[in-house]
Amino acid sequence: MTGDGERELDAADQGVESLIPPLPDLPAAEAAAAAPVPGHGPATDTVTIQAQSRRNWGRVIGGFAASLVVLTGVGFAVATINERFHLSPQAAALSDVQDAADGASATVKVVGGGIATAHWSDDAGLLVLVTQRMPEIGVGETRAVWAMRDGDPVEAGTFDTDVSGSATLVVDDWASADEIIVTVERADDMAGRPLGDTIARIPTE
C-alpha cells in the first residue's frame, strides 16, 4: 500500500474513534463494587426438588391417615349408638346386666329338656332369664319364675316359650336373692306362691 493510502486509513480510524466518548477512570474499590455478584437463591437441582416433593407427599398422607382415624372413630360411635337405639327391651336389659361391674350369670338344665340361664346385676337392679329348647307344656299352663329369699318365694313373673322353646323374661325390680326357681303353674290360678312342679333351680348368690 502506498503512503497516501495508509494516511487515508489512519484518518478514517481516527474519525470513528473520535465519535466514542472515552470511559472514565474508576478507582479499584468502586470498580469491584460495581461488578456483578453471583446469585445465592435457593437451589433448584433435581435432588432438592424430589426431596421437597417427598416431604409434601408425606404431609398429605399423614393428614389423610389422621382424618381416616377420626372418621373411623366417629363411624364406630354412630354405629354403636344406632345399634343400641334399635335393641329390643330384652336385649337392652341383657346388655345392661352384662356391662355392669357386678354382672353375673348361671346356667342349669331344665327338667324335661332344655336349658335356662339367669343373668343378673344388683347394681343395675335387673335379672334376665333366657331359656332355650324347653319342651311344650299343657294347655292352660304357664311357667312362673320365683326369687327365693330366706326360703320365701317372691313372684318375679311368668313366661311362655316360642315354638323352639326359647323365651326371655326381664325382672326389672331385681334385688339379691338366694336362687331363682322356675315352676309350671295353672295360668288361671296363680296363688302367689309356687304350687306346681319345679323344673329349674338357678343359684344367684
Side-chain angles (χ1 to χ4, degrees), residues 25-47:
D25 295 332
L26 292 176
E30 293 184 12
V37 179
H40 295 285
T44 57
D45 57 275
T46 302
V47 174

Side-chain angles (χ1 to χ4, degrees), residues 97 118-121 125-129 169-172 174 180 204:
V97 171
H119 305 263
W120 69 92
S121 165
L126 291 169
L127 179 137
V128 182
L129 179 69
L169 173 69
V170 177
V171 180
D172 57 9
W174 172 255
I180 287 290
T204 55

Side-chain angles (χ1 to χ4, degrees), residues 134-143 159-161 184-185 199:
M134 293 183 71
E136 294 183 357
I137 55 177
V139 176
E141 293 181 323
T142 188
R143 296 179 178 91
F159 67 93
D160 295 315
T161 61
V184 178
E185 305 288 340
I199 58 174

Side-chain angles (χ1 to χ4, degrees), residues 54-138:
R54 284 194 295 270
R55 285 194 294 270
N56 292 341
W57 184 245
R59 294 190 188 101
V60 171
I61 294 298
F64 177 76
S67 300
L68 185 61
V69 170
V70 172
L71 290 175
T72 301
V74 172
F76 177 77
V78 171
T80 301
I81 293 172
N82 185 61
E83 180 182 357
R84 179 74 180 187
F85 182 76
H86 288 90
L87 287 177
S88 67
Q90 294 87 350
L94 181 58
S95 178
D96 288 340
V97 171
Q98 292 174 332
D99 291 342
D102 68 336
S105 66
T107 301
V108 299
K109 292 182 178 180
V110 176
V111 174
I115 60 174
T117 302
H119 305 263
W120 69 92
S121 165
D122 293 342
D123 290 346
L126 291 169
L127 179 137
V128 182
L129 179 69
V130 180
T131 70
Q132 295 175 291
R133 302 188 302 277
M134 293 183 71
E136 294 183 357
I137 55 177

